[in-house]
Amino acid sequence: MRLIVNFRTWLLALLAFTGAVVAETPLDPHLIQALKTGHLRTCLPNVSFQLESAGLASNPQKVANMYCHCLGNFYFNDLSKEEFEEMRISDGALPARIAQNRRAIQEHCATIHLPHFR
């Protein structure tokens, strides 16, 4: 299990580095924060409800908060202006670079923050 977690961490670091090289024009930090805030508005209630319904966390809101922040950081911290435009044109869908890595990002954040993934 530890080997899988280390591999995922390594893979995400590699993907983040690769993404940083590909990203052309950095997005305004205020816009990145706004995207993260919007993401939290939908992520927090959904994940909290799922954790509470399944009885998977003693404090579902706290666990969901950490998990959703983790996702938001991976989704938006390195977003470029070009990727933001891609999101705008597609009515808010994640840009291709992030969408391709979405499952790995979710698994990484789940491994760190969701009790049943440890």
Side-chain angles (χ1 to χ4, degrees):
M1 178 67 167
R2 192 74 181 147
L3 180 61
I4 292 171
V5 172
N6 287 338
F7 176 73
R8 284 184 188 148
T9 303
W10 175 85
L11 179 61
L12 282 169
L14 177 64
L15 293 172
F17 174 76
T18 304
V21 172
V22 173
E24 296 159 5
T25 309
L27 191 60
D28 180 277
H30 292 94
L31 190 49
I32 289 173
Q33 188 56 48
L35 289 167
K36 288 178 174 182
T37 300
H39 166 73
L40 288 175
R41 283 190 193 122
T42 58
C43 184
L44 287 173
N46 289 323
V47 173
S48 293
F49 178 75
Q50 292 170 350
L51 290 171
E52 190 172 339
S53 294
L56 295 174
S58 60
N59 188 343
Q61 289 78 21
K62 180 180 178 184
V63 173
N65 187 46
M66 292 184 302
Y67 174 74
C68 291
H69 272 89
C70 181
L71 291 179
N73 287 335
F74 274 102
Y75 289 168
F76 303 117
N77 276 358
D78 294 328
L79 200 68
S80 68
K81 286 183 180 180
E82 293 79 10
E83 289 172 319
F84 178 74
E85 183 63 16
E86 187 181 334
M87 287 178 66
R88 192 188 64 73
I89 290 170
S90 67
D91 289 328
L94 290 173
R97 174 182 63 88
I98 298 167
Q100 291 168 349
N101 299 309
R102 186 177 189 172
R103 184 176 175 101
I105 292 167
Q106 290 171 338
E107 288 177 358
H108 174 72
C109 291
T111 301
I112 294 171
H113 299 294
L114 301 181
H116 65 285
F117 274 86
R118 290 186 188 136

